[in-house]
Amino acid sequence: GAGVSQTPSNKVTEKGKYVELRCDPISGHTALYWYRQSLGQGPEFLIYFQGTGAADDSGLPNDRFFAVRPEGSVSTLKIQRTERGDSAVYLCASSLGLVVNEQFFGPGTRLTVL
Amino acid sequence: AQKVTQAQTEISVVEKEDVTLDCVYETRDTTYYLFWYKQPPSGELVFLIRRNSFDEQNEISGRYSWNFQKSTSSFNFTITASQVVDSAVYFCALAQETSGSRLTFGEGTQLTVNP
């Protein structure tokens, strides 16, 4: 079956602009996660959805970051007033949820803020 | 608080050598889960293994094996008879029961296998 997909694969924007990053999880996976990976670092947790609700958003760095999953499937990560420090690869993962299962990752969106 | 330490930043070996990647974790929970992921040059994280804190049995899968020791809070990964295709960044990760499903990753170990 299809894996986790993310669009766009690359996004270049200017400082101060608004961006949206999209994630399509594996069909049937109720849990969806967003991570951010800077160069040479491990992924850092941002937010976790179980179904439509954000079960844990403690990793969001500030209120410029927001994510939604309105129908319990596709999720969008939204970043307002982008800053150069937001440049990173944004990874999405999904899992069967309910218990701590393995998470399957998408290819990521490389965000560059000029 | 939870933390994962991968002290080896880079390892370089010659093909067919065995190599062990170290992972040390910190957690206050009695129930937790440990993972290894591989990130090849293409960038996509590939799941390798998941273990829970109550299962200390070592596991072998082909050329891969994992050694889980609660006494030293370590979950080391060994590749036997390494191959060039094993070249990648390998991440160890931890999930605590009290923190839900969020993964805390180590900094990763860049493994280069030379022909």
Side-chain angles (χ1 to χ4, degrees):
Chain A
V4 178
S5 62
Q6 292 186 245
T7 54
S9 55
N10 279 284
K11 176 70 177 179
V12 180
T13 190
E14 293 180 346
K15 181 175 177 291
K17 299 291 189 182
Y18 168 83
V19 297
E20 290 190 353
L21 312 179
R22 176 188 167 106
C23 172
D24 278 272
I26 292 172
S27 178
H29 281 190
T30 59
L32 184 146
Y33 313 80
W34 285 98
Y35 294 84
R36 179 167 72 173
Q37 186 175 24
S38 300
L39 191 64
Q41 305 290 316
E44 292 180 308
F45 170 79
L46 295 176
I47 186 169
Y48 154 53
F49 288 89
Q50 180 60 47
T52 60
D56 181 356
D57 64 358
S58 61
L60 295 177
N62 51 59
D63 60 6
R64 295 187 297 105
F65 288 74
F66 188 70
V68 295
R69 194 186 185 199
E71 297 178 357
S73 179
V74 170
S75 176
T76 305
L77 178 65
K78 309 179 181 194
I79 311 174
Q80 299 177 321
R81 305 182 304 280
T82 52
E83 299 178 356
R84 292 194 180 88
D86 299 334
S87 297
V89 176
Y90 288 81
L91 298 168
C92 177
S94 70
S95 76
L96 287 171
L98 299 179
V99 295
V100 181
N101 288 305
E102 53 268 34
Q103 297 177 20
F104 296 92
F105 283 79
T109 294
R110 181 174 299 278
L111 175 66
T112 303
V113 182
L114 301 176
Chain B
Q2 58 190 68
K3 184 179 179 183
V4 175
T5 302
Q6 295 179 256
Q8 304 150 309
T9 305
E10 296 183 25
I11 299 177
S12 182
V13 300
V14 177
E15 207 169 17
K16 296 184 184 177
E17 285 186 21
D18 298 348
V19 57
T20 295
L21 310 181
D22 297 334
C23 172
V24 174
Y25 61 91
E26 295 177 30
T27 177
R28 294 177 183 170
D29 282 23
T30 55
T31 302
Y32 53 89
Y33 302 81
L34 295 163
F35 301 78
W36 276 95
Y37 282 85
K38 174 182 181 180
Q39 190 171 43
S42 61
E44 195 157 337
L45 281 159
V46 177
F47 166 78
L48 296 178
I49 190 169
R50 164 187 174 272
R51 302 306 300 273
N52 72 57
S53 53
F54 299 108
D55 183 2
E56 284 195 74
Q57 279 194 339
N58 292 330
E59 183 155 339
I60 299 174
S61 176
R63 296 184 297 107
Y64 295 171
S65 62
W66 290 269
N67 184 346
F68 177 25
Q69 292 196 344
K70 289 177 76 170
S71 61
T72 55
S73 297
S74 65
F75 187 45
N76 297 337
F77 173 31
T78 297
I79 302 174
T80 302
S82 60
Q83 299 176 0
V84 173
V85 294
D86 295 328
S87 297
V89 180
Y90 290 86
F91 290 98
C92 181
L94 166 70
Q96 295 179 156
E97 188 176 53
T98 54
S99 299
S101 299
R102 60 185 295 177
L103 292 176
T104 296
F105 284 84
E107 297 289 289
T109 298
Q110 169 70 62
L111 173 65
T112 301
V113 181
N114 298 298

